[in-house]
Amino acid sequence: MTMTEREEPLTPAGRLFVQPGMEQVINCAISVDDPIDVDAVKSEISNSILVKHPRFSSIMVKDSCGRERWRKTEVNVDDHFIIHREPLTDDPSISDEDAVNDYSADLSVSTPLSLTKPLWEFHLLLAHKCAVLRLHHALGDGISLMSMFMSCCRRTDDPNQRPSAHGIGTSSSSNSGKGWRLLTKLLKVLWYTLVYVIEFGLRSLWLKDKKTAVSGGAGVELWPRKLATAKFSIDDMKTVKNAIANATINDVLFGIISCGLSRYLDLRTPKALKEGLQITGVAMINLRKQSGLQDFSQLMNSKSGARWGNKFGMLLLPVYYHKGGSDPLQFVKRAKAMIDKKKLSLEGPCSYKIGDFIMSFFGAKLASLLNYRIVSNTTFTISNVIGPQEDITFVGNRISSVRVTSTALPHAITMHMVSYAGRADMQILVAKDIIPDPKVLAKCFQDALLEMKEAAQAVAKN
């Protein structure tokens, strides 16, 4: 086999994630019920699909033109394990969750992955019954990586079965309607797409959010971080969703973010902010035909249309500051109105195609600069990945929580939510010199959902 045959180029999206300022490493903290058996974990990984996967068994190199490529290599599993046997802190008042969050926050700004081996590693925190799986984003997006993770796990209620993936997060749309309705919809699609693509261009040049107590900016990705966890019940989110016609969990999530940020800004801002102040988030959306998690075999089948890798578009999702009122469901209704317009547009596919075009014809430096400016001119990052619906085990050890964060960005707030067995944990990574109290922010989000749930229950009773 020739060297050329052994090497594959990174995708345009993968190349973006290795550029300075935009480099992204995913840190996934997996907590378990029982002490971790190091030898059993190593044995499981050695025999898993992970070490046989083309991306997880390749190192990243550069060719003579400076373009990044994947080069196949032999995987020595021991090289990918970092084992901490002692507690991360001597302070007994610090919980396991807080200790692991502090550890992940430090990783987000201080520890890149070595280029001398495939771009993944396991940090086993034995005293805290937790493993932190670190994966370079160039390996794949949240859908790809979560689907692979689930292929290595088993159901708690049936150890012979893998967690179910089919149909998780899927949605259907109807094209019913004739004549003027279809024409009206087409005109809306064209109009919203045009407006949102123009906004992308302006954000990459000069348009930015007004400065608030939660704003970041260029260079903030280098600042020290803190990490806190906001915990939600999926049933509570569904209760809110059912109180508003045709609402989705994502509508509820953005309502929570809008309400929670408004609450936090009220606490942190001495002077009253302007009602309706826009706070813009950056979100990634899956562009595969089937939404939600995919069967791993389908992802590895190049003819399936699902495709392994980074297959996502970028959306600019504005939420708005409002002082608390008598009806917290208004935050969800406003979020739904915004997201419904986004769904009608082709913003996600267009952002993917434009980024692909710039990367291919003008190079990684320009593409990275434009993306960096978009992030610098907005306020927060948000992602939401659907995880296993049922309790699962890894090497026979029941997983109690799955929490995800990533390398720091110019944003002062980066939020990643993962659902698991009826719960949802949102990791809130903040620049601690801008937001010194992320637990207060997490509580603002949690309280927002509880108030929305009470309002939704009142609506149901009436």
Side-chain angles (χ1 to χ4, degrees), residues 12 15 67 354-364 367:
R15 292 190 69 201
R67 293 178 67 91
I354 292 171
D356 193 351
F357 175 79
I358 294 173
M359 183 72 76
S360 300
F361 289 92
F362 296 97

Side-chain angles (χ1 to χ4, degrees), residues 29-226:
I30 304 164
S31 296
V32 293
D33 286 348
D34 301 317
I36 296 173
D37 185 330
V38 176
D39 292 335
V41 171
K42 285 186 177 182
S43 176
E44 180 70 22
I45 296 302
S46 298
N47 296 312
S48 74
I49 188 65
L50 188 146
V51 297
K52 302 178 181 69
H53 189 283
R55 293 292 169 265
F56 286 75
S57 57
S58 298
I59 59 173
M60 191 179 68
V61 297
K62 289 188 178 182
D63 61 20
S64 58
C65 298
R67 293 178 67 91
E68 298 84 357
R69 304 182 73 86
W70 296 114
R71 177 181 294 170
K72 193 76 172 172
T73 189
E74 292 293 325
V75 178
N76 182 351
V77 170
D78 287 335
D79 291 342
H80 294 266
F81 278 84
I82 297 169
I83 301 172
H84 295 268
R85 299 186 181 277
E86 300 300 320
L88 297 172
T89 176
D90 295 329
D91 188 345
S93 66
I94 297 178
S95 67
D96 287 337
E97 180 182 290
D98 288 343
V100 173
N101 277 348
D102 290 345
Y103 185 81
S104 296
D106 289 342
L107 289 177
S108 71
V109 289
S110 63
T111 312
L113 291 168
S114 171
L115 296 178
T116 63
K117 60 186 181 183
L119 297 175
W120 57 274
E121 60 190 22
F122 276 89
H123 293 227
L124 299 184
L125 313 179
L126 302 186
H128 304 281
K129 300 178 185 176
C130 183
V132 178
L133 173 57
R134 305 194 72 214
L135 306 153
H136 203 291
H137 216 317
L139 296 173
D141 56 19
I143 296 295
S144 296
L145 297 173
M146 180 60 77
S147 298
M148 168 175 271
F149 168 66
M150 288 174 59
S151 76
C152 299
C153 297
R154 296 293 183 270
R155 293 176 54 151
T156 302
D157 59 356
D158 188 351
N160 294 319
Q161 294 293 321
R162 290 189 175 93
S164 56
H166 288 298
I168 300 178
T170 57
S171 61
S172 60
S173 59
S174 172
N175 293 320
S176 61
K178 295 182 180 180
W180 69 270
R181 289 185 181 179
L182 290 178
L183 177 61
T184 301
K185 182 176 180 180
L186 176 61
L187 291 175
K188 286 182 177 180
V189 169
L190 294 174
W191 172 249
Y192 288 137
T193 300
L194 177 63
V195 169
Y196 297 145
V197 169
I198 289 174
E199 184 183 0
F200 257 105
L202 295 177
R203 289 281 175 178
S204 66
L205 298 174
W206 56 268
L207 182 64
K208 62 168 57 179
D209 284 354
K210 290 185 184 279
K211 197 78 173 175
T212 69
V214 297
S215 297
V220 171
E221 70 275 11
L222 302 175
W223 293 20
R225 298 279 144 167
K226 277 188 175 182

